[in-house]
Amino acid sequence: MKVIGITGGVGSGKSEVLRIMEEQFGCRIIRTDDVAKELCRKGKAAYIQVVKSFGADVLDGEGEIDRKKLADIIFQDPSRREQLNHCIHPEVFTWLREEMTHLKAEGKVSLVAVEAALAKELQTVGICDEIWYVYADPKVRRERLKASRGYSDEKIDAMFAAQLSEEAFQKACSETIDNSGDLDSLTRQLTARIG
């Protein structure tokens, strides 16, 4: 079983890469953000850590973590992001390692893609055979974010500023997938790498 880490900046088209990998190559897809959301549900270990670190003010009326409230805290005080990561990442890493052990033992999947916003996360968990950087020209990313999410230039600028530089992504990754072009170009690149 081969495990490929997928990372890249917001608007780079990681979701499209994952969709093609799943539909055309039968790849099992794992999104670390989805795993983190599940592990932050009421009563789970990451939930307990987040509430302990950030207080009950981050909970909604149902007692679940209000992701918007948490995002606002982190946006106002970037040092709190590291605090949040310490609450969630260890739980996500443990889940991923256990899931890979389970999938290997089951023997039904030959290719797994694990998507994460940070290449460092993928390196730390230590489960990936390769880590691919999904690159897209900043102008293309900006247009995608405006069209698909309705983001303003100011919001996009803030998001870009908070992410790793292109050089840092490339240094951390073994392959670069250029997703600045059309779907055919993207599919050709994936076919060449996956086979």
Side-chain angles (χ1 to χ4, degrees), residues 142-191:
R142 184 177 296 275
E143 289 308 311
R144 285 178 183 161
L145 291 168
K146 284 180 177 181
S148 67
R149 301 185 196 178
Y151 288 169
S152 67
D153 281 317
E154 294 76 23
K155 181 163 185 157
I156 295 169
D157 289 342
M159 293 173 89
F160 283 5
Q163 295 194 319
L164 289 178
S165 68
E166 181 186 336
E167 294 76 23
F169 271 120
Q170 287 183 334
K171 186 177 180 185
C173 299
S174 50
E175 296 276 348
T176 298
I177 306 294
D178 188 344
N179 193 17
S180 302
D182 61 18
L183 207 52
D184 288 342
S185 169
L186 178 59
T187 303
R188 281 195 303 273
Q189 290 177 71
L190 294 174
T191 302

Side-chain angles (χ1 to χ4, degrees), residues 26-187:
C27 185
R28 165 78 193 277
I29 306 298
I30 298 172
R31 292 172 177 82
T32 57
D33 201 39
D34 291 345
V35 173
K37 281 180 195 171
E38 184 58 33
L39 295 175
C40 283
R41 293 185 64 81
K42 193 174 183 176
K44 302 268 182 145
Y47 171 95
I48 293 164
Q49 292 300 318
V50 170
V51 175
K52 197 182 290 185
S53 293
F54 290 84
D57 289 346
V58 298
L59 301 178
D60 64 17
E62 304 294 316
E64 294 285 356
I65 293 171
D66 185 321
R67 291 173 58 87
K68 184 175 180 344
K69 287 181 185 175
L70 205 50
D72 289 344
I73 291 168
I74 291 166
F75 190 73
Q76 291 170 10
D77 182 359
S79 68
R80 305 281 316 258
R81 179 183 302 274
E82 200 61 36
Q83 187 179 358
L84 179 63
N85 289 345
H86 284 300
C87 295
I88 298 173
H89 287 182
E91 300 300 327
V92 172
F93 295 166
T94 297
W95 185 94
L96 286 170
R97 290 183 187 112
E98 289 172 357
E99 182 68 4
M100 291 309 124
T101 300
H102 168 75
L103 289 173
K104 283 179 186 173
E106 197 176 51
K108 294 180 181 175
V109 177
S110 61
L111 184 63
V112 178
V114 179
E115 183 269 329
L118 301 173
K120 187 174 82 171
E121 293 173 354
L122 294 168
Q123 291 171 326
T124 302
V125 74
I127 58 167
C128 298
D129 298 302
E130 298 176 8
I131 300 176
W132 295 358
Y133 166 46
V134 180
Y135 166 82
D137 182 276
K139 289 178 186 172
V140 172
R141 290 170 60 199
R142 184 177 296 275
E143 289 308 311
R144 285 178 183 161
L145 291 168
K146 284 180 177 181
S148 67
R149 301 185 196 178
Y151 288 169
S152 67
D153 281 317
E154 294 76 23
K155 181 163 185 157
I156 295 169
D157 289 342
M159 293 173 89
F160 283 5
Q163 295 194 319
L164 289 178
S165 68
E166 181 186 336
E167 294 76 23
F169 271 120
Q170 287 183 334
K171 186 177 180 185
C173 299
S174 50
E175 296 276 348
T176 298
I177 306 294
D178 188 344
N179 193 17
S180 302
D182 61 18
L183 207 52
D184 288 342
S185 169
L186 178 59
T187 303

